[in-house]
Amino acid sequence: MHKPAAMIDLGVNIDHVATVRQARQTIEPSPLEAATLAIAGGANSITVHLRGDRRHIQDDDVKELREQISVPLNLEMAVGEDILTFALGIKPQQACLVPEKREELTTEGGLALDPSNTEMRECIAALQEQNCLVSLFIEPDAQIIDMAKELGAEAVELHTGAWANAYLDTNLSDDQRSQAITAHLNKLEHAAEHCAAIGIRCHAGHGITYHNIRDIVHLKDLRELNIGHTIVSRSIMTGMQAAVAEMRALMDAGPKS
Ligand code: PXP
């Protein structure tokens, strides 16, 4: 049955607004301004990943967003003492625990979970004590979802990367590609069903685009999608003409009197 997409929250990841700013170490574009526009466009939450290497989002961005945006802030973070201390000071409404590797371009895979991992268990509990909704970024697998629940998480975010990458796999024939997409989508669907069966909230994200969104948004039991790169990319294209026209108009207006 068609499920109204409005039932699924849209979290917009604005990391790459900060990536552009950091390329020049300057003050524009502003993640806060981007977040405000994203909210005006319908974002239900704003996601930022404060990486250990601070390659895009900076501590002050997170503080500013937490203080000024009108929707929940979802802080993506690795498990670690320093970042946890920072997060507890910021009190984000949501946190998504992710694996982090220094050399990766983006978060490559889901977390390796182990129910006896006390550091992760304590990290989840400490955030939850502040009424933070904690999700764990994991591969779409029932056993891993069970472990997330055992660790105390109230939500998981299913890694959609393998499914999304299948659309771009030029080594496959069209038939093979569509089979691969269907196989990955089935895994995601079963994982989402498993979440519902054991009573854990199901989020998903990574690699979702304007091209593939309509293939996933119907999945029953999905509560939230987190989307970043494609939205920031699209906003450059939808904004380019107006931005150039504004610069041209200023050039033509001559000097300030
Ligand atoms: N969810 C998580 C946990 C992520 O790490 C990312 C990438 O930062 C996303 C969602 C968004 O992925 P994308 O930028 O490909 O939309």
Side-chain angles (χ1 to χ4, degrees), residues 13 15 76 98 106-107 137 157 205-207 226-229:
N13 180 315
D15 288 349
E76 271 183 34
V98 298
T106 181
T107 318
F137 190 47
E157 180 167 326
H206 213 285
N226 281 299
I227 308 179
H229 186 263

Side-chain angles (χ1 to χ4, degrees), residues 241-255:
Q241 189 174 339
V244 172
E246 188 180 340
M247 183 59 78
R248 184 70 248 177
L250 288 172
M251 289 165 67
D252 295 344

Side-chain angles (χ1 to χ4, degrees), residues 106-165:
T106 181
T107 318
E108 278 167 1
L111 283 165
L113 298 189
D114 172 0
S116 68
N117 182 339
T118 44
E119 191 186 16
M120 188 177 288
R121 187 181 289 277
E122 285 169 13
C123 175
I124 295 168
L127 289 162
Q128 286 172 337
E129 228 164 85
Q130 297 190 336
N131 290 324
C132 177
L133 173 74
V134 181
S135 67
L136 306 184
F137 190 47
I138 57 164
E139 295 300 324
D141 177 282
Q143 264 184 323
I144 305 178
I145 295 166
D146 289 341
M147 286 194 260
K149 177 128 200 222
E150 254 184 85
L151 281 160
E154 300 156 85
V156 291
E157 180 167 326
L158 303 178
H159 197 315
T160 50
W163 162 78
N165 285 341

Side-chain angles (χ1 to χ4, degrees), residues 187-206:
K187 269 196 204 164
L188 289 162
E189 186 162 21
H190 291 141
E193 281 168 7
H194 189 68
C195 288
I198 67 163
I200 192 165
R201 251 179 90 94
C202 184
H203 305 172
H206 213 285

